[in-house]
Amino acid sequence: ILRVQVQGTDPQAADGIKWRGIALTQFDGKRWYNETPMPALLRPDRELRFFPNLSPFSGRRGTRVIGYRVLLEPVSTEALFVAAVPVWLQGRFRTLGIDRDDSFVHPQHSFTRVSYSAASAVGRPPTELLRGIAPNYPLEVRERYLQLPPLDPRARRLAESITAPFDTVYDKASAIELHLRTQFGYTLDLPPVLPDAPIASFLFDPRRGHCEYFAAAMAVLVRSLGIPA
């Protein structure tokens, strides 16, 4: 899908980094989608760099910025893939968009190869800082990232059982992630799932699936506990 060349002399600079395309927020029980207005347009500076004006973690520990170049193959999406929290992006673009979920969008995407450079803040906040954050979520966050359709009640009971020993939001989310990593199998040879309840089917029947099942199950389980995702 894409090739990435990280700048600098450290070949491990990008090891373990997550690459982000589009974030989906709405779930109807069968599919994830976005109900969003048109992306906000960004204008480049004189060096053709676009600044999304996001707020990466800026603590003393765990903070680092990497530069890299991306060659993106033709894919059926307007998204441009970046690492973690992008600081700037540079390429032969007249305009770029950024949507409400902080994803870069290339409106003139022509399904050809795209090349661009970028810098991203990829530091991980210290665990003790994450554990200390109070779950006082703004209304917009709650409305946007806690939405769930009617679910199989076993899903919430599973989330509650996994997280019962833990008190903080961070530890609860980490426990669910660990459960999915260790108790489920990855496969591209999908077993049968119930079309009307794909998440419940994944969680309680085959317990195997590809990346979309893991991501969707993680989001559903933490949202069922009131944790935005």
Side-chain angles (χ1 to χ4, degrees):
I1 293 178
L2 59 89
R3 296 173 176 85
V4 180
Q5 182 180 22
V6 179
Q7 298 173 356
T9 58
D10 180 7
Q12 303 300 319
D15 186 42
I17 288 174
K18 305 297 190 294
W19 296 87
R20 189 179 193 274
I22 289 292
L24 303 176
T25 63
Q26 303 298 304
F27 184 49
D28 64 7
K30 300 179 182 179
R31 67 185 183 99
W32 288 84
Y33 61 96
N34 284 336
E35 287 183 349
T36 58
M38 292 293 293
L41 291 181
L42 300 174
R43 300 292 182 182
D45 64 8
R46 292 182 179 181
E47 298 178 353
L48 298 181
R49 291 191 299 180
F50 295 83
F51 292 85
N53 194 31
L54 303 179
S55 299
F57 170 69
S58 57
R60 292 183 179 180
R61 288 186 295 148
T63 301
R64 59 193 177 103
V65 175
I66 64 168
Y68 51 94
R69 187 164 188 83
V70 175
L71 179 62
L72 178 63
E73 295 292 337
V75 289
S76 56
T77 176
E78 294 181 342
L80 297 180
F81 291 81
V82 292
V85 183
V87 178
W88 55 261
L89 188 147
Q90 182 182 43
R92 294 180 177 274
F93 309 117
R94 292 182 179 179
T95 60
L96 287 181
I98 187 164
D99 68 16
R100 291 175 61 187
D101 303 292
D102 301 335
S103 300
F104 272 117
V105 178
H106 179 206
Q108 287 85 34
H109 186 50
S110 57
F111 299 99
T112 61
R113 280 186 172 184
V114 178
S115 178
Y116 52 93
S117 299
S120 289
V122 296
R124 180 186 177 93
T127 299
E128 60 268 25
L129 175 64
L130 296 174
R131 284 187 172 132
I133 296 176
N136 299 322
Y137 308 117
L139 177 61
E140 181 182 4
V141 169
R142 298 198 304 270
E143 290 179 342
R144 196 160 175 75
Y145 301 113
L146 288 177
Q147 174 270 332
L148 281 176
L151 294 173
D152 188 315
R154 293 179 297 169
R156 180 179 172 86
R157 292 199 295 267
L158 174 63
E160 291 174 337
S161 67
I162 295 169
T163 60
F166 305 100
D167 297 320
T168 71
V169 168
Y170 172 81
D171 287 320
K172 289 178 184 290
S174 297
I176 290 175
E177 180 187 30
L178 180 63
H179 182 82
L180 291 172
R181 284 183 181 274
T182 58
Q183 303 302 313
F184 290 74
Y186 181 87
T187 181
L188 293 176
D189 185 15
L190 288 176
V193 297
L194 297 177
D196 291 332
I199 299 303
S201 182
F202 167 71
L203 287 174
F204 302 108
D205 295 324
R207 299 170 66 89
R208 293 182 292 124
H210 54 60
C211 55
E212 292 181 354
Y213 283 95
F214 281 86
M218 175 79 186
V220 165
L221 291 176
V222 297
R223 283 188 179 193
S224 74
L225 299 176
I227 302 172

